[in-house]
Amino acid sequence: MGKEAAKTGPLAHRPDNSAFMQQRLPAWSPMLTTSTVLPFMYCMAVLCLVVGVSLLITVQGTQEMKLDYTEAGTCNNCFQSLKNVSNAGKSCSCRVVFTLEHEFKGDVFFYYGLQNFHQNLRKYMDSRDDAQMVGRKQNLKNPSSYCEPYIRDEKDVPIAPCGAVANSMFNDSFALQYQGQPGDPINTVPLYRKGIAWYTDENVKFRNPHKNKSQTLAQVFEGTTSPPYWQKPVYLLDPLDATNNGFINEDLIVWMREAAFPNFKKLYGVLVRTQEPFTNGLPAGNYSIDIVYNFPVQYFKGRKQVVLSTVTWFGGQNRFLPIAYLVTSGLVFIIAIFLTVIWWKFGKDAKNMNE
Amino acid sequence: MGSLLTYFESLCGKKREKEEERYIHANNRPLNLPYQYADNAIRTSKYNVFSFLPLNLFEQFQRLANAYFLVLLILQLIPEISSLSWFTTVVPLLLVLTMTAVKDASDDINRHRSDKQVNNRRVDVLIDGELRSEKWMNVQVGDVIKLENNQFVTADLLLLTSSEPLNLVYIETAELDGETNLKVKQALTVTGDIGDSIPGLGSFKGEVRCEPPNNRLDKFKGTLTVNGQTYALDNDKVLLRGCTLRNTEWCFGLVVFGGPDTKLMQNSGKTVFKRTSIDGLMNVLVLCIFGFLAVMCSILAVGNAIWEVREGSVFIAFLPRPNGVNAGFSAFLTFWSYVIILNTVVPISLYVSVEIIRLGNSFYIDWDRKMYYPKSDTPAQARTTTLNEELGQIKYIFSDKTGTLTQNIMTFNKCSINGKSYGEVVDFTGQRVEITDKTQTVDFTWNELADPKFVFHDPSLVELVREGDLAAQHFFRLLALCHTVMPEEKTEGELYYQAQSPDEGALVTAARNFGFVFRSRTPESIRIMEMGQEVTYDLLAVLDFNNVRKRMSVIVRSPKGKLILFCKGADTIVYERLHPSCLKLKDTTTSHLNEYAGDGLRTLALAYKDLDDDYMEDWRRRHHEANIAMDGKEERLDELYEEIEKDLMLLGATAVEDKLQDGVPQTIEQLAKADIKIWVLTGDKQETAENIGYACNMLREDMTEVFIVAANTAEGVREELEKARRTMCPEAPDKPVVVEARAGLFWRQKTRKVEDEAVNGEYALVINGHSLAYALEKDLELELLRTACMCQTVICCRVTPLQKAQVVELVKHYKQAVTLAIGDGANDVSMIKAAHIGVGISGQEGMQAVLSSDYSFAQFRYLQRLLLVHGRWSYLRMCKFLRYFFYKNFTFTFVHFWYAFFCGFSAQTVYDEWFITLYNLVYTALPVLGMSLFDQDVNDRWSSQHPQLYSPGQLNLYFSKKAFVRCMMHSCYSSLILFFIPWAAMYDTVRDDGKDIVDYQSFALLAQTCLLIAVTIQLSLDTHYWTAVNQFFVWGSLSAYFAITFTMYSNGMFLIFTSTFPFIGTARNSLNQPNVWLTILLTSILCALPVVAYRFTLIQLWPTINDKVRHKVRKEALPAPAPRRPPVRRISTRRSGYAFSHAQGYGELVTSGRFLLRRPQKIRTALLFPQSDSPLSQGQPQLYRPITALNRVPEEEQPAQQS
């Protein structure tokens, strides 16, 4: 504009003859013509069909077993006893048995599932302090106000990890046994309990507060208390592996990744395929799970499950996408035919197009 | 409220007691001081440094949208409610507020600057008996100041004395009312006699009593008391601020009103803020959306209550409720939380974007070379930037005639002398040859005084004059003598004429070029050069022109002592007064006149008469007696004139062309094809208006009928209108069908609409000012409207400015259609302001019309491009923008609604908060802006080629309540796809390494990516015109989304701002999953599919005009340029109007005996009418600036007073 003002002469105010100012920018004007739309439609139909079929084949190759143990087997006793609030702190063990009809080939993943547990309530989700969990010393003793109502206990001792999410951490534990046929020796199914959380969560998002070489983890967490529902302090979550304690405990990390929907499953362990008979996966046969039954679900009409599943490149066994693709393929095909008919009957000679 | 305000004002001491009467002592500041009259400083700025922020913020928050977002912000600060972080609202709001504030600030700085400049102008003030140069702002009421030629008038002054004879001053009022013609003001003799004696003025002790400050430009009432004598003051004696002194060496004036009290300032700042119909619709829709929002939130709140009772009450083990919150209270809080989350249905960026789009489209108008007029170096200008899309919906155009359709330049084109017609170019076979730019023009170099700009093509006339043909010489002698033109000869031989009408100037110039040069005049004589010889005629009488006489005569005595009366006038009038001996000449002249009329020329008949001395003596005596008679002066004079103007000898006739602007007929034809109705509202006479109507193709010989309504009573007008209506549409009911409806905000606005009625055949209506005055009255206006709207063409002649506005209001009111008024003069201002869109023709008759217009350009023909190209595109773009904008935001918002059913109605958002913040501002802002700034369905040439493309805008097809509902349904569908497909695809799945992917953060990322891609695809389907910029915006925004997302979810951002960016790693961990991408693909297909199928079906089955043209565009290359038709020559018996000005002549002043009182003492050498004043001076025929005396009511306004 400044350049324009400087011009003088008889045509001083003449606008520049640029394509932009004269709205003549070269452009591509696509139009929904027969030659583009119909081939596109048919291609889409074929594409969806191909994707749907290949997904379906993939999904058929995965195996999954779900077992609701809320009231199953001896766990019913625990379920009943937990209904009594006074038993809340008491540990209760039970066992459920099941049979695998077919062998689970490949890596097998062990999940626990919860139903009707609303990890996605706004107040619940907000009730955490990422700064504390990433190991900030200051936040360890002064948790953020977001952690309401689990910031400090009655004695005004700060809670670590604070907040409702951590407080409600799932605390059932499982031990899986395999017995090929009745009478066979009982093998404990080895589960690898590490590497179950996202790499970024384990290495960036969750860190223990910095400690000197001389300090133990317990000393670092001194001056804090564990969440009220917890039976163990945070530095003792994994009695077996000292490096899996504190905020970097993988069960805690998995739990802290809140689910989007009220029904969800979370990874508990992965089958270790180093020893027989599990080198190929889980063989068919009878299994039992010893459960330390701590987590109360009766309050909110929830259910608890264990899920065994194999995965493919497409993830777990979810039949929705393949079927949705097949349905879409059919739909696109029907629409394409419909459009073809319309074009054939009305638009072919473009007589509508002439004024 | 009002009393409160006054209370505050009285507290601040700002407001004085309301002035009843102003009482001023001249030259006496101490005596005037107690009245506390405002001094001459003006302040148009709104803010100062300290008041800017609070005042500007206060103003901004008065806007509904901004206030709404402020409320949202407050809601967000309540922790119980806050469902979104504060930044989601603050960032957009701050951006909007800052942008507006910067714009306001720069505007105000400019105002400050111009105030300062004006206030610091200097003027000579008479203080303590001597002249001192003072700043304008220090001038006070009661001061006597001296103005010099070409100076601006400092304040409203009472004229005391001037350098000119009779104490006259000439002023130009262009800045005040836009008229460039000079006006005359005259001081009282008692003050005028002081002259320029400083001691005399210093001791002047007049006292003025006058009306309080007001905004009436044409009225002033007051008295001046000098030495015990009281004199009445009127508007004639007052110079108003804003005028410029011309042709007057100096004058002295007494300041009556200063600064803010001046009539100029009292008149300014009351511009009506125009809004477009889309604005109105948008307000209604936003209101509906608020209602809709409330409904959604209520549903969710109820859901929350139910959930809290059934599920939440048992979930409190894990999430204890805060004290005092029960299910009901929780539902209440949830309601507000959802108000925050779902606020995106009315996003603040909507308003900003709309403004940006309008601004952009206004710039296109400013930049358009095809609307730039090189001859006057005038580009088109969008003076209002907020009305563009309305240009695409115009249904009625109201056009002025003079200066708008015509150039307001008269050229002497043809004449008939003694039964022979001149002016045609004839080839050797005797055929008429079309006159073009290349036709040889007549050489006038033999005449030293000829006007070089005068163009004539027929060489035979010059030969005739030079041969000494008596009739021809008499003919031009008449033209040189019989007029009221004032000559101006700055240097020897350089003549300029000041004519009161362009016609007259054209005739005198013609005479000048043919060797009869009008050199100078005194009240008693006229000096002309007759073929190189100077001849002085004694001017005995001027029988002036007026509207009834329709002729003008002069009686002169030649040097040889011959007494001659020269008369020119309308042919019908002159014919009645001819001597019987001219019968044969009359017949041939009549046929010539008919021919001229057929060509649309304005004609005059010329005649003369020799008088004998005795009779003249007697007549002059009686004339003098009549002149000084106390009563019946007018009638007696008329009788005398009638008596002497008879038995005239016919000389011939002149034909003056009122030149149409270039391309006017073609433009009108194209606009008519676009189904735009054009009404011409002109102050001209019926004959002239009709002629122009024919000339520009609005009236055609092949029309079924042209109705002319020219009755003089209300009953007569009704009868004629009804008769016309019955002829056009016999089966129409007698009573008009008026549809009453309600619209507007809160449905408070009552609308009444008269339906269009179909007619067979083409009709036109011509109605004159008298009849229009009756027809515009309450009981007849509907009849007028019905009849007029049935006609293709409506021409209203002799209308006053007020009536112009009334006609516009009538159509606006009862047709609910968008109107446009186009004009160039001050008399068009009212209609320009009344219409939805006002267009001013710039560079012709002052700036008033342009100043009050919304758009301005130099030529009428640009209107076609403004409407058919710019208007259409603006409308299309705005509608596309709104449809898409509502679509993308509703889709965005509805997903939250569905998610509520899965998250216990806890007001959890589906998306990341940052995505919510940036969605409208960054991710989707530019692509949609790109579309709404660049999109064009077909290019400009096709748009002009197919004016039918314009009609969808008139019918409101692209954006209406219906379209809005369709938009909502579409969004609803899309949001269902966009929520439930990801939900179903994800709810029970895991990553390929068995880890979690159904967590909230991954799902949020998936949902927002699906949404963004789906809306981008929708945008791509909507975009018809993919420029590189569009490509860049679309791909750039998508890339920006991924780039920003990866950045915000990166380790670094988390470690620095831990609690602000908790989504660390989500993008990396989920976007590497094939099932995530397959889900995105599926949602995209399902969202786009129905749209493609639906649109394809529509195009195949019911193609719109746009589809048809686009289809044609694909098949053909550029359209052939429209064939240039030669102007149609009509063979018509229609007699044209006569070439005379609208206003009464200047004769009285010319011959005024008062001229004798004081002769000009010296010959002034100053430039009186500097030609550089006129931007048109280059390469244009001479422009005549009319001189009118202020005290004469222009004839145009007379009908209004009679009605």
Side-chain angles (χ1 to χ4, degrees), chain B residues 931-1131:
Chain B
M931 178 180 77
S932 12
L933 286 178
F934 295 108
D935 208 50
Q936 33 184 282
D937 48 355
V938 290
N939 68 20
D940 50 348
R941 286 178 73 176
W942 285 100
S943 297
S944 320
Q945 188 93 334
H946 293 273
Q948 306 91 312
L949 286 171
Y950 193 76
S951 54
Q954 296 169 326
L955 301 172
N956 260 326
L957 286 189
Y958 292 154
F959 192 76
S960 56
K961 283 177 194 157
K962 231 172 164 178
F964 176 74
V965 170
R966 265 207 301 274
C967 233
M968 263 173 82
M969 312 245 282
H970 183 200
S971 306
C972 195
Y973 165 79
S974 294
S975 65
L976 283 171
I977 295 287
L978 288 171
F979 178 74
F980 284 100
I981 296 283
W983 169 74
M986 286 294 132
Y987 81 100
D988 195 22
T989 196
V990 290
R991 280 160 55 91
D992 56 1
D993 57 2
K995 293 175 188 172
D996 213 355
I997 198 173
V998 209
D999 63 296
Y1000 169 76
Q1001 295 185 341
S1002 301
F1003 183 76
L1005 180 72
L1006 173 64
Q1008 67 200 35
T1009 311
C1010 286
L1011 171 79
L1012 197 68
I1013 291 181
V1015 296
T1016 306
I1017 289 177
Q1018 177 64 34
L1019 178 96
S1020 311
L1021 288 173
D1022 282 349
T1023 305
H1024 280 156
Y1025 194 75
W1026 285 87
T1027 64
V1029 184
N1030 289 85
Q1031 299 274 7
F1032 176 74
F1033 280 172
V1034 169
W1035 298 112
S1037 291
L1038 272 186
S1039 332
Y1041 165 69
F1042 285 108
I1044 293 175
T1045 304
F1046 273 98
T1047 312
M1048 287 197 305
Y1049 298 177
S1050 68
N1051 302 358
M1053 292 301 269
F1054 175 76
L1055 292 176
I1056 300 168
F1057 310 102
T1058 307
S1059 50
T1060 321
F1061 298 105
F1063 274 54
I1064 175 194
T1066 312
R1068 276 171 281 171
N1069 282 299
S1070 69
L1071 290 182
N1072 63 1
Q1073 292 302 304
N1075 55 358
V1076 166
W1077 286 105
L1078 285 170
T1079 312
I1080 295 173
L1081 176 68
L1082 185 66
T1083 54
S1084 305
I1085 293 175
L1086 285 175
C1087 280
L1089 185 74
V1091 181
V1092 174
Y1094 176 70
R1095 290 194 182 168
F1096 182 77
T1097 315
L1098 279 192
I1099 292 177
Q1100 294 299 321
L1101 293 183
W1102 303 282
T1104 59
I1105 176 73
N1106 301 55
D1107 297 327
K1108 288 175 186 168
V1109 175
R1110 294 187 77 204
H1111 181 78
K1112 217 167 146 188
V1113 174
R1114 292 183 76 85
K1115 290 207 330 217
E1116 298 167 25
L1118 275 178
R1124 221 178 152 73
R1125 270 161 310 175
V1128 194
R1129 207 173 263 283
R1130 281 178 303 120
I1131 311 299

Side-chain angles (χ1 to χ4, degrees), chain A residues 13 15 22-23 25 28 66 111 116 120 122 125 136 198 200 229 257-258 260-261 299 318 325 347 352, chain B residues 82 311 314 317 367 369 377 877 899 906 908 985 988 994 996 998-1000 1025-1026 1055 1058 1069 1078 1100:
Chain A
H13 296 103
Q22 303 306 322
Q23 305 199 65
L25 286 178
W28 169 58
K66 284 184 178 168
Y111 299 91
N116 206 26
N120 59 2
R122 175 166 58 91
M125 285 185 95
R136 303 256 155 83
W198 287 7
T200 47
Y229 287 6
R257 184 150 284 283
E258 298 124 330
F261 300 106
Y299 299 123
N318 180 355
Y325 265 104
N352 278 345
Chain B
S82 169
E311 315 255 339
V314 284
W367 287 336
R369 268 195 166 206
D377 190 26
R877 289 166 184 174
Y899 188 55
S906 64
Q908 178 60 282
D988 195 22
D996 213 355
V998 209
D999 63 296
Y1000 169 76
Y1025 194 75
W1026 285 87
L1055 292 176
T1058 307
N1069 282 299
L1078 285 170
Q1100 294 299 321

Side-chain angles (χ1 to χ4, degrees), chain A residues 239-279:
Chain A
L240 304 176
D241 185 353
T243 61
N244 193 21
N245 273 323
F247 293 144
I248 55 169
N249 177 271
E250 296 213 9
D251 285 333
L252 175 65
I253 293 175
V254 166
W255 179 255
M256 291 304 285
R257 184 150 284 283
E258 298 124 330
F261 300 106
N263 302 341
F264 58 88
K265 62 184 181 195
K266 285 184 182 294
L267 190 55
Y268 184 76
V270 189
L271 175 68
V272 180
R273 284 164 60 191
T274 49
Q275 60 195 47
E276 286 294 339
F278 305 114
T279 45

Side-chain angles (χ1 to χ4, degrees), chain B residues 330-534:
Chain B
S330 157
F332 172 76
L333 292 180
T334 304
F335 179 87
W336 293 108
S337 300
Y338 270 112
V339 167
I340 297 174
I341 286 191
L342 304 182
N343 81 71
T344 42
V345 280
V346 198
I348 198 162
S349 57
L350 173 73
Y351 294 93
V352 183
S353 307
V354 164
E355 291 308 315
I356 293 177
I357 291 166
R358 286 175 175 162
L359 195 70
N361 283 316
S362 304
F363 273 123
Y364 285 135
I365 293 173
D366 293 347
W367 287 336
D368 195 337
R369 268 195 166 206
K370 291 183 179 145
M371 287 166 45
Y372 166 78
Y373 191 55
K375 278 190 187 150
S376 61
D377 190 26
T378 320
Q381 198 188 0
R383 301 174 47 84
T384 311
T385 54
T386 54
L387 297 174
N388 299 354
E389 72 268 8
E390 197 103 293
L391 288 174
Q393 300 185 278
I394 305 290
K395 190 90 192 136
Y396 290 89
I397 291 178
F398 299 92
S399 173
D400 177 37
K401 186 196 74 73
T402 316
T404 306
L405 297 176
T406 62
Q407 299 179 5
N408 202 18
I409 292 171
M410 304 291 168
T411 53
F412 179 81
N413 204 302
K414 289 185 182 124
C415 60
S416 158
I417 301 174
N418 205 11
K420 195 163 183 305
S421 173
Y422 300 93
E424 291 289 350
V425 182
V426 185
D427 65 9
F428 58 92
T429 58
Q431 289 290 308
R432 287 216 310 199
V433 177
E434 198 64 48
I435 290 172
T436 63
D437 290 344
K438 292 180 188 119
T439 312
Q440 182 83 42
T441 58
V442 174
D443 179 27
F444 286 110
T445 44
W446 54 272
N447 180 356
E448 281 175 10
L449 290 168
D451 183 345
K453 286 166 198 143
F454 182 81
V455 173
F456 201 72
H457 296 285
D458 185 357
S460 60
L461 186 56
V462 181
E463 285 159 21
L464 188 73
V465 179
R466 298 187 72 181
E467 280 163 11
D469 181 275
L470 282 180
Q473 295 210 346
H474 226 45
F475 181 91
F476 286 112
R477 188 171 294 128
L478 186 154
L479 292 184
L481 291 172
C482 179
H483 54 78
T484 55
V485 171
M486 299 283 241
E488 196 62 56
E489 194 162 355
K490 291 178 298 186
T491 54
E492 183 70 22
E494 236 183 277
L495 270 173
Y496 291 101
Y497 292 142
Q498 300 297 325
Q500 57 151 338
S501 82
D503 307 61
E504 226 177 18
L507 292 176
V508 179
T509 308
R512 167 182 173 182
N513 278 43
F514 284 101
F516 287 79
V517 188
F518 168 59
R519 288 296 285 270
S520 66
R521 71 156 78 232
T522 69
E524 291 166 325
S525 67
I526 297 175
R527 193 164 60 101
I528 63 174
M529 301 286 285
E530 285 188 0
M531 305 308 288
Q533 285 178 327
E534 187 172 312

Side-chain angles (χ1 to χ4, degrees), chain B residues 838-894:
Chain B
V839 178
I841 300 282
S842 47
Q844 302 257 345
E845 203 189 283
M847 291 295 282
Q848 187 79 345
V850 171
L851 287 180
S852 51
S853 68
D854 304 306
Y855 297 89
S856 71
F857 40 72
Q859 292 278 299
F860 179 80
R861 64 169 187 272
Y862 299 151
L863 189 62
Q864 179 187 349
R865 190 169 170 85
L866 184 71
L867 299 189
L868 298 189
V869 178
H870 288 284
R872 203 176 73 80
W873 281 347
S874 297
Y875 175 69
L876 187 84
R877 289 166 184 174
M878 184 54 71
C879 294
K880 269 195 175 184
F881 167 79
L882 288 176
R883 281 200 312 247
Y884 176 74
F885 203 90
F886 282 122
Y887 167 77
K888 88 177 161 79
N889 281 289
F890 275 123
T891 309
F892 177 88
T893 312
F894 285 163

